[in-house]
Amino acid sequence: MTEKRPDQFEYSLKKPVKVGVLMDLVLPAPGAHDVRQDTLDGLRMGFDEAFDGGLLPRPVELVYRQVDGLPRGNASDIRESTRQLVEDEGCLIIFGPATSESSYPVRGYLEEAKVPAITWAGTDDFLGEWTFSMSLGSLPDEPIQLANVIAGHGHRKVAVIYERY
């Protein structure tokens, strides 16, 4: 058990800091795995440990928004959800968007509003003074990695199958 700081009780009486979680994909209904809850649980665990360990002076409240962003949805919905998290909910930082396509419509707003955001999308174009990446891969890196794996297995020809919208 982590020892509490002397001033931690005082901080715990204050309102929590709001952190937005912007999911720009409509997730499937929970089955064997609940992606929404897994994401929230992971963030919650990290923030709780940071608060209990004295790294954060106040607890964190997660505010979740799910919207059908690009490429299936539209840019105005993703911008509006981002605006709601910042202006209506008062979130001080945003985790998301998750897709590269949805990151473009919100980057300018986040930079103007001076609200930091961390994406896990595979694009470097989101990066800016207020926008950061913790991607699961990146579009500039993945083609060369895939080519190396394919060549390493002795293949010289590949086929690409992709979805048209």
Side-chain angles (χ1 to χ4, degrees), residues 5-165:
R5 296 188 326 236
D7 61 340
Q8 197 163 6
F9 177 74
E10 176 189 330
Y11 281 119
S12 68
L13 295 177
K14 294 181 179 179
K15 289 184 178 181
V17 172
K18 289 186 176 183
V19 172
V21 180
L22 179 62
M23 182 59 68
D24 55 320
L25 304 164
V26 175
L27 299 172
H33 298 285
D34 185 343
V35 176
R36 175 188 180 273
Q37 197 58 52
D38 289 348
T39 302
L40 293 173
D41 287 348
L43 289 169
R44 167 67 32 229
M45 183 173 43
F47 285 124
D48 287 351
E49 286 181 8
F51 177 69
D52 291 343
L55 294 172
L56 293 176
R58 292 166 55 180
V60 169
E61 175 186 338
L62 297 174
V63 182
Y64 184 83
R65 285 285 186 282
Q66 180 173 290
V67 62
D68 199 9
L70 297 170
R72 288 182 294 269
N74 62 59
S76 62
D77 288 346
I78 192 71
R79 279 194 304 266
E80 177 59 17
S81 293
T82 305
R83 187 205 62 76
Q84 288 172 1
L85 286 169
V86 172
E87 296 177 25
D88 298 346
E89 295 290 345
C91 294
L92 296 180
I93 187 170
I94 307 291
F95 281 94
T99 65
S100 299
E101 296 89 347
S102 291
S103 66
Y104 304 115
V106 300
R107 182 179 180 267
Y109 169 79
L110 292 164
E111 293 282 346
E112 285 177 27
K114 296 186 182 334
V115 173
I118 301 172
T119 186
W120 53 92
T123 180
D124 291 338
D125 291 336
F126 186 72
L127 303 176
E129 185 177 356
W130 293 89
T131 49
F132 306 91
S133 178
M134 195 172 65
S135 67
L136 303 172
S138 70
L139 299 179
D141 297 338
E142 288 175 357
I144 192 68
Q145 298 291 342
L146 291 170
N148 284 333
V149 169
I150 291 168
H153 284 90
H155 300 290
R156 298 291 173 247
K157 294 182 180 182
V158 298
V160 177
I161 300 171
Y162 64 96
E163 188 175 6
R164 272 198 195 149
Y165 295 101

